[in-house]
Amino acid sequence: MNISRRFFMKTSAVAVGGAVSAKAGTAKAESRSRAPADPFGCLVDLTQCVGCRKCEQACNEVNHLPEPKVAFDDSRVLDCKRRPDQNAFTVVNRYYPGKKDEQNRLIPAYAKIQCMHCQDPACVSACIVGALTKQENGAVIYDKSKCIGCRYCMVACPFGIPAYEYDQPFTPEVRKCTYCFERISKEGGKPGCASVCPVEAITFGKRDTVLALAKDKIKKDPGRYINKVYGEEEVGGASWMYISEHPFEKLGFLTLPKKPLPTLPETIQHTMFKFLWAPITLFAALAGGMWVFNRRQMTGEDISEERGADNE
Amino acid sequence: MSNHAQPRPINSPFWTPGVFVMLAFMAAAAPFILARYIKGLGFVTNLTDIYPWGLWIGVDVASGVALAAGGFTTAALAHIFGRHHYEAVTRPALLTAMLGYTFVAVGLFVDIGRSWAIWKPAIFWQPNSVLFEVAMCVMIYLTVLYIEFFPIVAERFRGRFPMVDSLDKIINKLMWVFIILGVVLSCMHQSGLGSLMLIAPTKLHPLWYTPILPLLFLTSAISLGYPMVVVETIIATSSLKLDREMDVLGPLTRITLLLLGIYGGLKIGDMLVRGTYVYLWDGSAQSFAFMTEMLLGVIIPWCMLWIPKVRKTPGLLFTAAAMVVGGVVLNRINVFIVGYQPPFAQHSYYPAIGEILVTVGLVATIMFLYRLAVTFLPVLSARRKEA
């Protein structure tokens, strides 16, 4: 990856005006993380989740979402895998990762999904107008007054989270978990789902604190947990993190790179357009070329003769 | 230069059967555009939360921008590098670029959810966003294209409106600025368009996801420029029964040998460096699409163009050039649609009939307006064929 990036920088610099000299230190000019220093975090202990869907219900009420077709206490919805959508910012899915009980029946495991509130969110970097922003408290929130509905955030999100109101002809919104931004902005406030969970599978607090708690739990009970905190490093880390007794890929979690996704496009973008050096250099080079070529022609060298070669 | 008359209006009858066919396609698209503004995007498209971008972005926007590359590549050749011999094709290429970009904007207007907010990126700057860079360049370049086209309109109405004449004089004095600006902006956003997918490394198939995607988009757009001019000139001259201008088109495609060679070399080199050739033989739709793109769009036409006979025979030249054009269009479709493999997809995206008809309707509108423009404005300089 590194080799080919340097290769790109070099070749594109040549392509865009030949000003290679300015490119010597590009590998270091990598765009830095803009992650907030001390955000909130949520830790989901999947070994505790019983799939009761109370978190879904709380989310529905807190965010004033429309009533679902199937009631929240109806567990039949768990029979198929669902995704968060415009009317449900969080959903719980059921998996059978392979463990069996005494009667040889598969033991279910549950996983709640919602916006991960990444530390360096791809959606925020992608958004053409800055309608999506990462807040100091960790929430990635959406401002519909800026949104133009281009849906690039949805292309960018590695978790496939933002949903869209495809049935709205003029004022569709991008919809996703808000981290209950209003609630957590108040002293002692918690997200709806975290405050309601009857088995306390969701722990809300400062990200550093809940991450330490996660590692502590794993350390104290290595038989119960696999040694991984999902969300600690994925795409640069997220505000939502998970611990589990099953490998995460068996619970619908994606295997993702550790590097924040905005790094590559932003590095290229900021390197090429710093002080607009590349376009200005190209403009100057072309203007110089234009002057030289057209002057030469005026002094009598008939360039149009060159084409003769092909006409034979 | 003696082969060519000055550019002038065609003066053929406008209402031909072809024009009515275009009108029919335009009429077919209209109800779907209307429906999109009454019932929402979901009503006329197959777009979902998993596939937020479809045919309109892949073809109307991404391919449309690439196909307009004839405008800046011929301008660079004829005006900047002083190959004035090629001036015969700069005006039609400029017209194509202007119409192409106008319809990129129209396509976006239909595709984005909040069409009334399309101006907002000009106010709410978000310079980390690749899309912001692309949008700004396209917006400015569209303006530049209109300015560049203005003298052609002014020429038609010369002496009738003093205001137009004096504006024309000012523009002509500054024309060199706009010409260079057009090339710079094109380079910026053609590559920017390729950077769009860099944010989605886990979604774009490895055959297309590469850090040099911006460079590939830029070089492919540049190598597409002259073949596109060939295609449109041959279509226009045959349908208007004009001289084919082979003395311009043949040499143009000789330059394409170099440009397309660079693009093909980068593409194959990138594949070797990243080791993605392992995906070539896995029998997936993506491997098939990639092979088609490379073989039919790059390698075969490149080999064809080496043969002097191909460059001199209108039919063969048209075939080779059309393959290059088709190859780049397929590349954009592959990057934005075929190669886009998001997780959690239940089934793959295929455009709805409404999406297809709107795209066809927009293309028909471009051709209709092209026909309208060359009929009444001094765009084409080819001579009428001696019957």
Side-chain angles (χ1 to χ4, degrees):
Chain A
M1 198 85 153
N2 248 330
I3 293 167
S4 37
R5 171 142 9 101
R6 232 172 289 138
F7 171 70
F8 165 72
M9 285 305 175
K10 261 195 206 153
T11 39
S12 62
V14 172
V16 187
V20 196
S21 58
K23 301 276 96 265
T26 40
K28 276 179 204 142
E30 202 164 84
S31 78
R32 249 165 301 159
S33 166
R34 285 185 299 274
D38 189 24
F40 284 120
C42 272
L43 176 68
V44 187
D45 187 338
L46 294 177
T47 65
Q48 276 167 260
C49 179
V50 293
C52 70
R53 301 180 63 216
K54 287 277 188 289
C55 52
E56 289 186 37
Q57 188 169 10
C59 177
N60 177 281
E61 284 159 17
V62 166
N63 292 295
H64 312 291
L65 301 174
E67 204 176 307
K69 282 189 203 107
V70 186
F72 284 111
D73 53 10
D74 189 337
S75 60
R76 279 175 305 177
V77 295
L78 295 170
D79 291 342
C80 53
K81 303 284 176 282
R82 294 173 299 150
R83 298 290 307 158
D85 63 29
Q86 52 167 330
N87 296 323
F89 297 167
T90 185
V91 294
V92 177
N93 280 326
R94 181 174 59 203
Y95 296 88
Y96 292 100
K99 278 199 181 160
K100 289 176 178 173
D101 63 9
E102 303 85 56
Q103 279 111 33
N104 211 26
R105 284 177 307 201
L106 285 165
I107 304 172
Y110 302 91
K112 169 194 189 307
I113 35 179
Q114 72 294 308
C115 172
M116 297 288 283
H117 298 275
C118 306
Q119 285 287 75
D120 282 294
C123 60
V124 170
S125 170
C127 182
I128 180 169
V129 284
L132 288 158
T133 45
K134 175 81 174 170
Q135 300 294 310
E136 272 308 301
N137 64 14
V140 175
I141 59 167
Y142 168 73
D143 177 357
K144 68 176 176 193
S145 72
K146 286 184 178 171
C147 180
I148 65 167
C150 71
R151 310 185 297 284
Y152 190 25
C153 52
M154 302 167 74
V155 171
C157 175
F159 297 100
I161 289 297
Y164 193 70
E165 294 184 314
Y166 283 105
D167 52 348
Q168 292 292 328
F170 289 110
T171 56
E173 286 175 31
V174 170
R175 312 263 286 168
K176 64 169 199 72
C177 160
T178 63
Y179 214 4
C180 286
F181 176 70
E182 310 266 306
R183 289 165 63 101
I184 64 169
S185 298
K186 289 182 199 125
E187 184 68 35
K190 283 182 180 183
C193 55
S195 62
V196 84
C197 180
V199 291
E200 294 182 349
I202 309 172
T203 313
F204 177 77
K206 286 292 181 184
R207 184 175 189 268
D208 290 345
T209 317
V210 295
L211 179 58
L213 171 73
K215 293 195 164 164
D216 197 47
K217 275 185 155 187
I218 294 172
K219 202 174 161 191
K220 278 190 182 142
D221 204 346
R224 178 164 186 166
Y225 299 102
I226 59 157
N227 187 19
K228 168 156 179 78
V229 182
Y230 191 91
E232 181 190 5
E233 292 179 316
E234 274 69 21
V235 289
S239 286
W240 277 75
M241 289 168 290
Y242 294 81
I243 48 175
S244 158
E245 63 179 316
H246 308 288
F248 283 100
E249 56 273 18
K250 287 190 176 174
L251 303 177
F253 288 82
L254 300 167
T255 308
L256 294 171
K258 287 182 180 173
K259 207 174 206 177
L261 300 187
T263 308
L264 177 61
E266 286 190 12
T267 303
I268 292 177
Q269 177 112 332
H270 294 312
T271 314
M272 296 309 289
F273 295 116
K274 197 161 197 184
F275 312 117
L276 291 176
W277 74 268
I280 290 171
T281 311
L282 180 57
F283 191 100
L286 289 173
M290 194 174 191
W291 187 74
V292 169
F293 285 116
N294 289 285
R295 189 171 137 266
R296 205 169 67 179
Q297 188 155 73
M298 268 178 263
T299 54
E301 286 179 48
D302 192 5
I303 286 159
S304 61
E305 270 176 19
E306 285 176 24
R307 75 189 145 90
D310 202 68
N311 288 346
E312 261 70 85
Chain B
M1 233 161 286
S2 51
N3 301 355
H4 295 279
Q6 282 299 305
R8 60 198 150 77
I10 291 305
N11 282 330
S12 327
F14 180 72
W15 297 105
T16 59
V19 171
F20 283 108
V21 172
M22 289 175 225
L23 279 178
F25 281 127
M26 287 150 73
F32 290 96
I33 295 182
L34 205 62
R36 176 255 172 273
Y37 284 107
I38 294 170
K39 291 285 210 169
L41 274 178
F43 189 72
V44 288
T45 69
N46 280 347
L47 299 175
T48 59
D49 291 342
I50 304 284
Y51 288 100
W53 282 1
L55 186 74
W56 292 347
I57 293 293
V59 173
D60 303 14
V61 177
S63 305
V65 164
L67 293 185
F72 86 93
T73 47
T74 52
L77 190 66
H79 300 306
I80 297 177
F81 299 113
R83 304 291 197 267
H84 297 281
H85 167 63
Y86 295 108
E87 250 159 42
V89 291
T90 53
R91 284 190 173 193
L94 173 63
L95 174 64
T96 314
M98 190 183 75
L99 291 174
Y101 274 91
T102 305
F103 279 89
V104 165
V106 172
L108 273 175
F109 195 79
V110 178
D111 184 82
I112 66 168
R114 295 171 171 237
S115 308
W116 50 269
I118 197 166
W119 52 273
K120 284 192 176 173
I123 307 294
F124 302 111
W125 288 24
Q126 211 286 81
N128 292 321
S129 168
V130 176
L131 192 59
F132 170 75
E133 186 242 311
V134 174
M136 294 308 271
C137 286
V138 169
M139 228 185 272
I140 302 169
Y141 185 43
L142 188 55
T143 316
V144 168
L145 281 169
Y146 284 133
I147 295 173
E148 285 186 78
F149 198 74
F150 184 81
I152 298 174
V153 181
E155 198 177 300
R156 176 76 172 73
F157 299 103
R158 188 166 286 157
R160 270 191 262 174
F161 307 97
M163 275 274 287
V164 172
D165 288 351
S166 47
L167 188 60
D168 185 37
K169 248 181 218 155
I170 300 169
I171 288 180
N172 270 314
K173 269 206 187 108
L174 291 172
M175 191 47 95
W176 68 276
V177 177
F178 297 121
I179 288 169
I180 300 175
L181 200 58
V183 177
V184 173
L185 288 164
S186 291
C187 288
M188 282 166 78
H189 76 260
Q190 293 284 4
S191 58
L193 216 50
S195 308
L196 280 181
M197 278 297 158
L198 291 182
I199 194 102
T202 57
K203 294 182 177 178
L204 185 58
H205 192 283
L207 278 172
W208 292 281
Y209 187 90
T210 159
I212 67 160
L213 207 49
L215 184 61
L216 291 178
F217 265 54
L218 179 64
T219 48
S220 58
I222 293 175
S223 50
L224 163 97
Y226 304 135
M228 187 63 197
V229 169
V230 170
V231 168
E232 63 180 77
T233 307
I234 292 184
I235 291 179
T237 50
S238 353
S239 94
L240 296 166
K241 304 194 175 48
L242 302 169
D243 183 61
R244 287 247 167 76
E245 307 200 88
M246 289 303 288
D247 59 324
V248 175
L249 301 185
L252 257 189
T253 42
R254 229 165 41 136
I255 311 175
T256 301
L257 274 176
L258 172 70
L259 300 174
L260 191 65
I262 293 175
Y263 169 61
L266 279 172
K267 195 120 165 110
I268 293 168
D270 172 71
M271 188 174 73
L272 295 174
V273 168
R274 291 182 305 114
T276 48
Y277 44 82
V278 294
Y279 298 99
L280 279 183
W281 324 108
D282 65 6
S284 63
Q286 282 73 24
S287 68
F288 179 72
F290 185 85
M291 298 249 255
T292 311
E293 178 194 323
M294 284 307 287
L295 281 175
L296 293 186
V298 182
I299 297 168
I300 294 177
W302 189 70
C303 294
M304 281 173 74
L305 289 175
W306 275 107
I307 308 165
K309 193 185 166 214
V310 172
R311 295 202 302 271
K312 282 173 199 158
T313 319
L316 289 172
L317 184 66
F318 179 82
T319 310
M323 284 168 86
V324 177
V325 172
V328 175
V329 171
L330 181 57
N331 172 259
R332 301 312 191 248
I333 292 174
N334 283 343
V335 168
F336 286 98
I337 302 172
V338 179
Y340 188 74
Q341 294 187 294
F344 313 116
Q346 305 279 338
H347 40 76
S348 20
Y349 161 86
Y350 191 81
I353 183 79
E355 291 175 89
I356 296 170
L357 282 178
V358 168
T359 297
V360 171
L362 288 182
V363 174
T365 316
I366 296 178
M367 293 169 76
F368 178 84
L369 292 176
Y370 184 97
R371 178 69 208 246
L372 196 67
V374 299
T375 305
F376 297 106
L377 294 172
V379 175
L380 298 179
S381 46
R383 288 188 166 183
R384 206 161 251 289
K385 230 192 221 159
E386 311 295 328

